[in-house]
């Protein structure tokens, strides 16, 4: 609130090199400015905190001022903090704290750490996980809070609420490095690939759940398969040991029961025998309990369907969902298959909309499924379907058409098996927008490099596109999927 504190008090600024008024450490600082300070705090209580912050930040960023460390927190982090102190009750606490500190001449500075513990926790709950990770070394008090499991899981529970203010979804892609793209700002960070999942060409699939990535890696020559659980934000990774062995025909899922804080996460493994030499054998189905590092076979599980090989599945609210197909009396049924980790059983959820070769399943708003279709024969049409809320409706789940885009200039979000391009990754953002990351081939003279493009599409058509990478054949190793939707979290590995 720098610009709202009067600077025309006589004698308090005598040179332009001062970083604070001369009366800052005296009782008179508050008493002289009492009316203005309390007026601004009243505006905070009335919901104007974020507006005041943005104006102050953009107007004064970089100005030397005692108590201000501009490089320490980003505007996004500060907005999360003021969102916490914007209510009447919190503003009252801030007012009482401000009076005490401004009137105490021995108190030379103020910091976030001086706030009551419950207020600091509330600010942390509203702060993105990346910012919390950077804040861990601040002091022992903060380190203890940020690494506390209770705070971590409450922070995770509030993730949908934070996403209403700032979209925390990221695209994760592995090329020569681990690349994490923030689609809103189109900023990208790069980290080394963990040696446990190298080399790159061995990474076959990943599934995301609560900031954890379940990674399947296999060497097609030796047919050796590894399974790993990885938190890209904290850079922790753990190899999962098989009960007997993993196979290249396995599918995997990750989720949790009703109480993930108490029961921990679970990993599902089941086999798809259609291309195996032992196709006639019964399918293997088993669950791994991360808290105890043990496997349990599900001998009664019935597997009378085949998986869509292009769909690696999506974890929503602790359960796994896939595109599946079953043949009943010579009739093909395409449907959504679920594995419910709370009761540890497979369930048919609902039938799919009209099925074609380019179908992409994703999570919508944290509690629904979305289904994107673009026909190769009619690439100028994209249809997006959505289910009702999975938790509220029990077994009564169905798809309805969410929106349709018709435009001759639409990009092709298609898996081209002839070009062996990677499958696109997408999610549905606010205001019925498709955010997609895709591979494509462009012409550069007599060369045809691979380009990676970020698209934003709404009901009117293509709104924005940005080429994020360009690779020539000798420096590019393609992947089966272009990338994965990922939401950073501080969830620890078991």
């Amino acid at each position: 609130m720098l610009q709202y504190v009067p600077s025309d008090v006589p004698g308090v600024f005598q040179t332009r090199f001062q970083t604070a008024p001369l009366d800052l450490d005296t009782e008179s600082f508050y008493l002289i400015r009492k009316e203005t300070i309390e007026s601004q705090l009243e505006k905070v209580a009335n919901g104007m905190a974020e507006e005041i912050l943005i104006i102050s930040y953009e107007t004064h960023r970089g100005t030397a001022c005692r108590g201000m460390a501009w490089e320490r927190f980003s505007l996004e982090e500060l907005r999360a903090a003021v969102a916490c102190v914007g209510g009447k009750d919190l503003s009252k606490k801030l007012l009482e704290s401000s009076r005490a500190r401004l009137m105490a001449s021995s108190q030379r500075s103020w910091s976030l750490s001086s706030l009551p513990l419950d207020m600091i926790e509330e600010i942390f709950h509203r702060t993105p996980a990346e910012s919390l990770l950077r804040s861990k070394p601040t002091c022992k008090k903060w380190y203890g809070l940020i690494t506390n499991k209770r705070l971590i899981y409450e922070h995770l529970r509030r993730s949908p609420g934070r996403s209403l203010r700032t979209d925390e979804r990221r695209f994760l892609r592995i090329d020569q490095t681990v690349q994490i793209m923030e689609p809103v700002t189109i900023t990208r960070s790069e980290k080394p690939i963990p040696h446990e999942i190298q080399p790159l060409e061995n990474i076959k699939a990943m599934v995301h759940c609560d900031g954890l990535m379940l990674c399947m890696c296999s060497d097609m020559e030796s047919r050796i398969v590894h399974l790993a659980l990885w938190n890209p934000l904290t850079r922790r990774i753990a190899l999962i040991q098989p009960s007997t062995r993993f196979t290249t025909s396995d599918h995997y899922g990750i989720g949790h029961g009703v109480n993930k804080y108490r029961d921990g996460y679970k990993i599902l493994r089941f086999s798809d025998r259609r291309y195996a030499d032992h196709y006639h054998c019964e399918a293997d189905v088993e669950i791994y309990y991360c808290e105890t590092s043990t496997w349990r076979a599900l001998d009664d599980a019935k597997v009378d369907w085949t998986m869509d090989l292009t769909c690696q599945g999506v974890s929503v609210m602790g359960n796994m969902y896939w595109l599946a197909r079953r043949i009943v009396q010579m009739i093909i049924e395409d449907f959504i298959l679920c594995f419910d980790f709370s009761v540890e059983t497979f369930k048919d959820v609902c039938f799919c909309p009209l099925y074609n070769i380019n179908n992409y399943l994703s999570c919508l708003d944290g509690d629904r499924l979305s289904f994107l279709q673009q026909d190769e024969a009619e690439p100028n049409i994209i249809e997006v379907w959505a289910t009702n809320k999975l938790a509220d409706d029990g077994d009564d789940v169905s798809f309805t058409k969410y929106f349709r885009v018709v435009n001759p200039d639409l990009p092709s979000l298609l898996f081209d098996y002839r070009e062996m391009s990677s499958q696109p990754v997408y999610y549905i953002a606010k205001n019925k927008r498709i955010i997609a990351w895709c591979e494509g081939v462009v012409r550069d003279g007599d060369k045809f490099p691979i380009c990676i493009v970020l698209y934003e599409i709404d009901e009117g058509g293509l709104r924005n596109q940005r080429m994020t990478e360009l690779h020539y054949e000798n420096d590019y190793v393609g992947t089966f999927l272009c990338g994965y939707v990922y939401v950073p979290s501080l969830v620890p590995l078991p």
Side-chain angles (χ1 to χ4, degrees):
M1 300 190 296
L2 288 173
Q3 78 271 32
Y4 298 106
V5 178
S7 59
D8 57 353
V9 177
V12 296
F13 279 100
Q14 297 184 7
T15 79
R16 62 190 181 92
F17 301 106
Q18 287 180 232
T19 60
L22 294 176
D23 65 341
L24 178 63
D25 298 324
T26 68
E27 292 184 9
S28 62
F29 179 88
Y30 173 73
L31 296 175
I32 293 173
R33 301 165 178 83
K34 176 180 178 182
E35 183 177 345
T36 302
I37 290 173
E38 295 191 1
S39 172
Q40 296 309 310
L41 288 171
E42 184 178 351
K43 290 181 180 179
V44 170
N46 292 331
M48 293 182 62
E50 190 169 354
E51 178 183 344
I52 293 172
L53 167 71
I54 293 171
I55 294 173
S56 296
Y57 191 92
E58 293 179 348
T59 303
H60 297 286
R61 176 167 171 76
T63 302
C65 177
R66 190 196 301 178
M68 299 296 293
W70 297 103
E71 72 285 353
R72 188 168 181 180
F73 298 105
S74 68
L75 180 58
E76 182 185 57
E77 293 165 337
L78 293 171
R79 289 176 68 179
V82 299
C84 173
V85 298
K88 291 183 179 180
D89 293 339
L90 296 176
S91 181
K92 182 180 178 181
K93 289 183 180 180
L94 185 60
L95 177 59
E96 293 170 352
S97 177
S98 299
R99 285 172 175 169
R101 279 151 177 74
L102 288 169
M103 294 178 67
S105 59
S106 61
Q107 182 70 30
R108 299 190 60 85
S109 63
W110 179 90
S111 69
L112 187 62
S113 298
S114 63
L115 288 173
L117 182 62
D118 60 339
M119 189 180 294
I120 294 175
E121 287 192 7
E122 185 66 24
I123 291 172
F124 284 176
H125 290 151
R126 299 172 184 237
T127 302
E130 298 106 323
S131 302
L132 288 181
L133 186 68
R134 290 195 296 269
S135 301
K136 281 172 63 176
T138 301
C139 62
K140 288 183 178 180
K141 180 180 180 180
W142 284 25
Y143 182 89
L145 280 174
I146 294 170
T147 56
N148 183 280
K149 275 192 173 183
R150 180 183 60 81
L151 185 137
I152 288 172
Y153 283 101
E154 177 63 16
H155 183 271
L156 186 66
R157 188 185 69 81
R158 296 197 189 190
S159 180
R162 287 195 307 276
S163 293
L164 293 176
R165 298 187 299 275
T166 175
D167 199 330
E168 296 184 19
R169 285 172 291 191
R170 309 285 186 261
F171 286 141
L172 184 148
R173 170 179 168 78
I174 298 183
D175 191 347
Q176 302 302 323
T177 58
V178 176
Q179 304 167 12
I180 297 178
M181 168 74 72
E182 185 177 350
V184 176
T185 60
I186 317 184
T187 56
R188 185 177 61 180
S189 63
E190 296 190 24
K191 301 173 184 176
I193 302 174
H195 69 85
E196 290 89 347
I197 58 176
Q198 292 188 28
L200 165 66
E201 56 268 23
N202 283 359
I203 301 172
K204 301 306 178 186
M206 294 188 190
V207 180
H208 169 261
C209 177
D210 292 348
L212 302 177
M213 303 297 295
L214 180 63
C215 312
M216 187 187 82
C217 308
S218 64
D219 184 331
M220 294 306 293
E221 291 185 3
S222 66
R223 302 186 72 81
I224 295 176
V225 178
H226 298 288
L227 198 64
L229 194 58
W230 173 39
N231 186 323
L233 179 62
T234 62
R235 304 191 192 185
R236 298 296 179 90
I237 189 167
L239 290 175
I240 307 298
Q241 299 301 320
S243 57
T244 52
R245 68 187 182 98
F246 300 130
T247 72
T248 54
S249 60
D250 288 343
H251 291 273
Y252 299 90
I254 181 172
H256 54 78
V258 176
N259 190 332
K260 57 189 166 189
Y261 178 74
R262 181 194 65 207
D263 302 328
Y265 290 87
K266 304 177 185 180
I267 295 172
L268 171 72
R269 169 189 168 265
F270 62 96
S271 57
D272 186 337
R273 305 293 193 183
R274 77 182 94 180
Y275 300 122
D277 296 335
H278 42 283
Y279 181 82
H280 61 280
C281 299
E282 291 295 324
D284 295 328
V285 183
E286 56 183 355
I287 284 187
Y288 180 80
Y289 301 92
C290 293
E291 288 297 306
T292 59
S293 301
T294 57
W295 288 93
R296 183 174 77 86
L298 301 183
D299 296 327
D300 296 332
K302 183 181 179 181
V303 179
D304 61 349
W305 30 256
T306 57
M307 303 297 301
D308 184 324
L309 293 178
T310 65
C311 176
Q312 299 302 320
V314 57
S315 178
V316 182
M317 301 178 66
N319 294 326
M320 279 296 302
Y321 297 86
W322 298 268
L323 299 176
R325 171 169 288 184
R326 179 189 291 117
I327 299 177
V328 179
Q329 296 180 353
M330 304 301 291
I331 298 175
I332 296 175
E333 295 180 349
D334 296 310
F335 64 100
I336 301 296
L337 175 72
C338 169
F339 186 83
D340 188 330
F341 280 93
S342 60
V343 294
E344 299 182 351
T345 187
F346 289 104
K347 296 179 179 180
D348 293 6
V349 178
C350 62
F351 288 109
C352 290
L354 184 63
Y355 204 80
N356 60 48
I357 194 171
N358 293 290
N359 305 279
Y360 308 113
L361 191 67
S362 187
C363 175
L364 176 64
D365 296 338
D367 55 7
R368 295 191 285 167
L369 295 173
S370 67
F371 189 73
L372 184 146
Q373 293 182 312
Q374 185 180 29
D375 195 335
E376 187 175 6
E378 294 184 285
N380 62 321
I381 300 175
I382 294 177
E383 291 185 336
V384 178
W385 300 71
T387 65
N388 41 354
K389 290 186 177 182
L390 298 171
D392 295 345
D393 298 279
D395 296 328
D396 188 19
V397 176
S398 62
F399 278 101
T400 56
K401 190 173 293 185
Y402 191 43
F403 64 95
R404 189 171 192 254
V405 184
V406 181
N407 192 295
D409 298 322
L410 285 178
S412 293
L413 311 180
L414 304 173
F415 166 60
D416 192 336
Y417 63 90
R418 293 164 300 188
E419 298 289 346
M420 295 304 293
S421 62
S422 297
Q423 291 188 72
V425 57
Y426 85 97
Y427 68 84
I428 305 301
K430 294 178 183 177
N431 303 318
K432 296 183 177 179
R433 292 177 298 126
I434 302 167
I435 310 296
W437 212 13
C438 304
E439 273 189 15
V441 179
V442 296
R443 182 167 188 146
D444 182 8
D446 58 348
K447 299 179 179 179
F448 295 88
I450 300 293
C451 63
I452 314 297
V453 184
L454 184 69
Y455 294 109
E456 179 184 353
I457 302 168
D458 63 16
E459 291 179 282
L462 179 63
R463 284 292 168 258
N464 291 296
Q465 69 179 63
R466 176 80 63 89
M467 184 185 297
T468 60
E469 298 174 48
L470 188 66
H471 294 279
Y472 290 84
E473 185 176 351
N474 59 352
D475 75 339
Y476 181 67
V477 178
T479 54
F480 184 68
L481 295 173
C482 182
Y484 304 86
V485 177
Y486 157 72
V487 180
S489 83
L490 296 171
V491 172
L493 297 184

